[in-house]
Amino acid sequence: MSNSPISQTIFISEQSIGDFLLAKEFGARVVDLRTSDALNELAAISQKVPFAFQQMSPDWVRYDEEYAALHAEQQARYMILFETNDELDAIWILTLAKFSDGIQLGTRSLPIQPPMIATSSSNKRSKRIIKSCIELGCYVATHHGLQFWDSSEYGPTQSGLSNWYSISRQHGATCHLENHLFVDLSLTDVEYRAKIRSSNKSTLSAGFKRWKPEIYTGEDQSEWEDFRELHRIVSGRVTRSKATWDIQFQMIKSGSGFAVFTRDANDSLIGGVFIAHTQDEGIYVTGVFDRDLNDPSLGHISQSCGIQELKRRGVRWYKLGERPFPSMESSIDEKELAIAHFKDGFATHSFPHLYFRHPSTAL
């Protein structure tokens, strides 16, 4: 993990960031993101924002730190709190990671995201906060000798390009577009069935006749261990630490996640998916199915049950994940395209996912 004394010699200090914020009169302070007080502040701001992203939740921040530690040599995790008259109105999560090929802002799995700004903040104040974050990002990147730093944003509730987009571009950032697939959970079952791929309906019908999936909410931890073991067997290796699985299990126990498990006639686990969520967004985290069965309906019925459970919990949107295409600049293999095609069959919407590259010296 990144809380060793070594990390303080590698990365910019909290004091240096705090001095920068003070000199710029940004009305902000910096704290260590790993503290319980910081996570409490994060939980508080999630109740004030127009959309609570799951990967900005305290649960996911804890998970991402553990997961990122598997790939990074060191990490630094800061939280910038913006306040007006001692009232919290925005939080920006700023993480750094050191890899064998150098230091970057963000982690391998989660680039820097825009600040979470309370809906009560005026547009003028929001722009000021975003400008502050971009200037701080440039300052931190320059401190580490980086020529650029990356960020990304998406959102199913936006009605146009955001302030993060316009201010980033004004400060010299380049941008490219990809997209994420979503399910609108406010649709009735009839409305939703009219939007999904027609062939899914027959696959689901056949799957529900053959299999009986169930929602898992952490009653027996041994069942979660069965899922972890199935993941190891199907993957052919251990892909991440037990600690990451334990954090996900705690999400399930706390009510911010659940799994869909399917067993055969002998009560052996043959498939499952894990879904995490806030009040606004559920995300498809991981899924694994017995390859020997070669039954596509297992994945279909798991998704269908997951969508129904998210609706029951009152979640607004379900993010299925990114939708790659063969024409993308990065290479996409056939497996990734097949997974994307599968997810596309359940989606009701496709929303922009913007990736920014910010020069360390802003214009």
Side-chain angles (χ1 to χ4, degrees):
M1 304 292 282
S2 62
N3 49 358
S4 68
I6 296 176
S7 66
Q8 298 304 313
T9 63
I10 292 175
F11 298 113
I12 189 170
S13 67
E14 284 183 30
Q15 183 64 51
S16 295
I17 294 176
D19 290 345
F20 177 83
L21 294 170
L22 183 63
K24 288 286 188 175
E25 298 182 347
F26 285 156
R29 57 189 175 91
V30 57
V31 299
D32 188 331
L33 179 59
R34 296 163 298 186
T35 65
S36 58
D37 286 346
L39 294 178
N40 289 337
E41 294 280 20
L42 194 57
I45 198 69
S46 69
Q47 302 299 314
K48 300 180 178 182
V49 296
F51 189 85
F53 292 92
Q54 198 284 328
Q55 289 179 301
M56 292 292 102
S57 68
D59 287 334
W60 196 265
V61 165
R62 290 177 57 245
Y63 171 81
D64 186 58
E65 179 180 12
E66 182 64 38
Y67 182 78
L70 304 176
H71 307 280
E73 297 174 6
Q74 295 289 336
Q75 297 181 68
R77 303 172 70 82
Y78 312 105
M79 189 169 79
I80 316 301
L81 296 93
F82 293 87
E83 297 166 317
T84 302
N85 298 324
D86 295 326
E87 181 73 22
L88 180 67
D89 52 11
I91 281 178
W92 192 43
I93 294 178
L94 177 61
T95 57
L96 294 96
K98 181 181 183 298
F99 302 94
S100 58
D101 57 351
I103 292 174
Q104 71 174 53
L105 274 69
T107 65
R108 287 286 197 250
S109 61
L110 191 62
I112 298 295
Q113 304 292 300
M116 294 172 283
I117 304 176
T119 53
S120 58
S121 298
S122 66
N123 190 51
K124 181 179 179 181
R125 173 64 173 157
S126 296
K127 288 181 177 179
R128 174 65 171 166
I129 290 169
I130 289 170
K131 183 174 182 292
S132 302
C133 293
I134 291 172
E135 290 188 17
L136 176 58
C138 293
Y139 171 73
V140 172
T142 299
H143 176 90
H144 292 287
L146 305 177
Q147 294 183 334
F148 58 82
W149 58 282
D150 296 331
S151 71
S152 71
E153 72 166 339
Y154 70 89
T157 59
Q158 292 185 5
S159 57
L161 294 171
S162 69
N163 285 330
W164 184 263
Y165 173 86
S166 59
I167 295 173
S168 294
R169 298 305 299 272
Q170 289 168 9
H171 284 72
T174 58
C175 177
H176 76 271
L177 168 69
E178 294 176 11
N179 68 295
H180 277 163
L181 299 172
F182 279 81
V183 177
D184 181 355
L185 299 172
S186 70
L187 297 174
T188 66
D189 290 344
V190 173
E191 290 170 332
Y192 178 62
R193 284 180 61 84
K195 287 181 175 290
I196 65 174
R197 185 177 295 136
S198 297
S199 60
N200 280 7
K201 299 168 189 176
S202 58
T203 304
L204 286 168
S205 178
F208 281 117
K209 289 178 180 178
R210 184 177 183 186
W211 310 110
K212 300 298 181 185
E214 59 183 28
I215 303 298
Y216 171 74
T217 55
E219 296 83 0
D220 183 347
Q221 189 167 358
S222 67
E223 294 184 65
W224 184 248
E225 296 303 317
D226 289 342
F227 182 47
R228 185 166 69 92
E229 177 63 10
L230 179 63
H231 192 281
R232 183 195 66 79
I233 293 172
V234 174
S235 300
R237 60 190 177 90
V238 174
T239 60
R240 51 187 172 88
S241 69
K242 184 177 184 299
T244 62
W245 289 92
D246 290 343
I247 292 171
Q248 289 180 339
F249 179 72
Q250 289 306 313
M251 291 185 201
I252 292 174
K253 293 292 289 183
S254 68
S256 61
F258 62 89
V260 182
F261 289 160
T262 304
R263 298 181 181 275
D264 62 15
N266 297 319
D267 204 35
S268 297
L269 186 67
I270 56 174
V273 302
F274 170 62
I275 295 171
H277 65 87
T278 61
Q279 68 268 26
D280 294 323
E281 179 186 46
I283 66 169
Y284 176 82
V285 181
T286 187
V288 62
F289 305 96
D290 188 332
R291 290 178 178 171
D292 292 337
L293 294 172
N294 193 28
D295 186 347
S297 72
L298 284 171
H300 285 69
I301 61 175
S302 296
Q303 286 289 358
S304 180
C305 288
I307 289 168
Q308 289 300 318
E309 179 64 13
L310 287 169
K311 291 180 68 173
R312 190 188 69 79
R313 295 184 179 207
V315 180
R316 294 168 62 190
W317 290 91
Y318 177 34
K319 185 175 79 170
L320 293 164
E322 196 158 320
R323 196 345 172 166
F325 295 97
S327 59
M328 291 174 60
E329 292 181 5
S330 56
S331 60
I332 306 296
D333 61 30
E334 291 300 319
K335 180 181 178 181
E336 290 175 299
L337 290 174
I339 293 173
H341 178 74
F342 165 74
K343 292 178 180 178
D344 209 356
F346 286 90
T348 62
H349 291 73
S350 178
F351 291 108
H353 187 173
L354 301 177
Y355 291 89
F356 301 90
R357 173 147 291 183
H358 306 261
S360 57
T361 303
L363 297 180

